[in-house]
């Protein structure tokens, strides 16, 4: 399925794509701040096609309510995230998007660190969508576990492969 770039925000590391494929399941987003030790699930496609195209989900917790060097636009979480999972949703057990996976610590510091990852906060995701007049559902985080969380994540999270052309030849810089 081809998609068209509608908008991007380099600071937030977010992009808005539009495809002709309709999606029935959308996850609600929250502007609530995550709290230290909150449980979260991170969904994505680590290593893309090399590991398989089925969605992978990890569960851990919020390690810090700020990002690298106390960046207030991000939070730190310790779920296992690998290349190819960037852009994936980070959700509460109730199924509400609290953020988007954007980076790993070793990408920022050039060091080998494990389970030290960052996500863009939900309020900034909402602001990005508002600037583009994209409708979405907003919801507060509840203490109840969403029994359909796995199915909802599979139905609303897609694998992306970005292609570009060099001298008329289609080239993939990788997938994710």
């Amino acid at each position: 399925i081809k998609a068209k770039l509608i908008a991007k925000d380099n600071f937030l590391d977010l992009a808005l794509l539009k495809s002709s494929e309709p999606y029935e399941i959308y996850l609600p987003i929250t502007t609530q701040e995550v709290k230290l030790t909150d449980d979260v699930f991170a969904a994505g496609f680590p290593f893309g096609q090399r590991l398989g195209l089925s969605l992978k989900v990890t569960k851990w917790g919020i390690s810090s309510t700020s990002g690298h060097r106390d960046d207030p636009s991000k939070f730190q979480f310790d779920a296992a995230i690998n290349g190819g999972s960037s852009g994936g949703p980070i959700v509460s057990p109730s199924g509400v998007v609290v953020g988007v996976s954007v980076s790993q610590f070793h990408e920022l510091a050039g060091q080998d660190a494990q389970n030290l990852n960052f996500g863009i906060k939900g309020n900034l995701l909402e602001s990005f969508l508002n600037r583009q007049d994209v409708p979405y559902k907003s919801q507060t985080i509840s203490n109840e576990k969403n029994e359909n969380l796995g199915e909802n994540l599979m139905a609303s999270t897609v694998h992306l492969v970005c292609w570009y052309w060099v001298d008329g030849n289609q080239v993939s810089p990788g997938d994710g």
Side-chain angles (χ1 to χ4, degrees):
I1 299 168
K2 291 184 180 181
K4 180 180 176 183
L5 177 66
I6 302 298
K8 65 181 179 174
D9 185 313
N10 291 333
F11 175 75
L12 294 178
D13 194 18
L14 292 175
L16 179 63
L17 304 174
K18 182 176 184 174
S19 78
S20 59
E21 181 74 23
Y23 287 92
E24 301 294 325
I25 303 287
Y26 296 91
L27 299 175
I29 303 169
T30 188
T31 58
Q32 283 177 269
E33 289 282 329
V34 290
K35 296 185 205 110
L36 200 59
T37 73
D38 278 356
D39 286 338
V40 291
F41 294 87
F45 299 90
F47 303 112
Q49 297 172 0
R50 291 174 287 177
L51 191 55
L53 293 179
S54 62
L55 183 69
K56 313 306 186 277
V57 178
T58 58
K59 177 189 175 202
W60 290 91
I62 300 297
S63 309
S64 176
T65 56
S66 61
H68 183 247
R69 297 190 177 164
D70 295 325
D71 179 353
S73 69
K74 296 179 180 74
F75 57 82
Q76 179 186 326
F77 63 105
D78 58 2
I81 299 294
N82 293 290
S85 291
S86 294
I90 305 167
V91 299
S92 70
S94 63
V96 179
V97 175
V98 298
V100 176
S101 298
V102 291
S103 62
Q104 299 169 297
F105 184 73
H106 74 270
E107 292 173 352
L108 299 171
Q111 299 177 9
D112 189 20
Q114 295 182 359
N115 299 348
L116 189 59
N117 307 292
F118 301 98
I120 294 292
K121 293 181 177 181
N123 64 327
L124 295 173
L125 174 58
E126 281 194 337
S127 177
F128 176 71
L129 294 174
N130 285 336
R131 288 193 307 271
Q132 306 308 318
D133 293 322
V134 174
Y136 58 89
K137 182 179 178 184
S138 186
Q139 186 175 318
T140 58
I141 300 169
S142 76
N143 292 327
E144 293 183 32
K145 184 176 186 248
N146 181 332
E147 296 300 324
N148 297 318
L149 181 57
E151 292 84 12
N152 290 349
L153 283 168
M154 286 192 300
S156 62
T157 308
V158 297
H159 179 259
L160 297 176
V161 177
C162 300
W163 296 89
Y164 64 96
W165 281 259
V166 175
D167 298 326
N169 296 313
Q170 191 176 22
V171 179
S172 171
D175 55 340

